[in-house]
Amino acid sequence: VQLVESGGGLVQPGGSLRLSCKASGGISLVYVMGWYRQVPDNGGRELVATITTTDVIQYGDFVNGRFIISRDGAKNTVNLEMNNLEPGDTGVYYCHFRNWREYWGQGTQVNVYW
């Protein structure tokens, strides 16, 4: 499975960004897809949001209603709409795909600064 990420960049606090991830190659009928992130000084990757092929959604505790994950099953694409971004959201965001194996994207940088 190959994952191609898009989106990310620089935004001011309170702004919005949209991340997208498209999966291709050997896609199973059942999978979980979503985003994790690694923020500075916080060790490993933490859950941002995931969505299953039955539209079960899970968000990280820090999201607090600010982010919305959605998917286009026909295109094997997951989108993450991030609103009201804070400086603490700065980090590298990784697309994640899991069926009987797990796959990671290369990561896309999100910077939230004045």
Side-chain angles (χ1 to χ4, degrees):
V1 174
Q2 293 79 45
L3 302 176
V4 177
E5 302 157 331
S6 61
L10 173 64
V11 66
Q12 293 184 347
S16 298
L17 283 174
R18 178 184 174 93
L19 305 181
S20 293
C21 179
K22 180 176 176 59
S24 62
I27 305 298
S28 56
L29 292 177
V30 178
Y31 57 82
V32 181
M33 197 167 169
W35 295 89
Y36 287 72
R37 72 181 191 181
Q38 188 163 7
V39 299
D41 302 324
N42 199 25
R45 299 175 185 180
E46 62 180 349
L47 169 70
V48 180
T50 58
I51 185 167
T52 73
T53 46
T54 55
D55 293 326
V56 175
I57 292 173
Q58 185 177 5
Y59 290 105
D61 291 341
F62 64 87
V63 171
N64 292 324
R66 299 180 297 135
F67 300 174
I68 300 172
I69 190 169
S70 62
R71 71 182 187 94
D72 183 335
K75 298 179 180 179
N76 296 313
T77 298
V78 168
N79 300 306
L80 182 68
E81 190 75 30
M82 303 189 293
N83 302 304
N84 195 21
L85 285 160
E86 304 167 353
D89 294 316
T90 293
V92 181
Y93 286 67
Y94 295 92
C95 181
H96 181 256
F97 179 99
R98 178 169 55 85
N99 46 19
W100 56 86
R101 292 184 57 183
E102 66 173 356
Y103 303 85
W104 292 95
Q106 297 276 10
T108 184
Q109 180 71 41
V110 170
N111 290 313
V112 186
Y113 297 119
W114 288 109

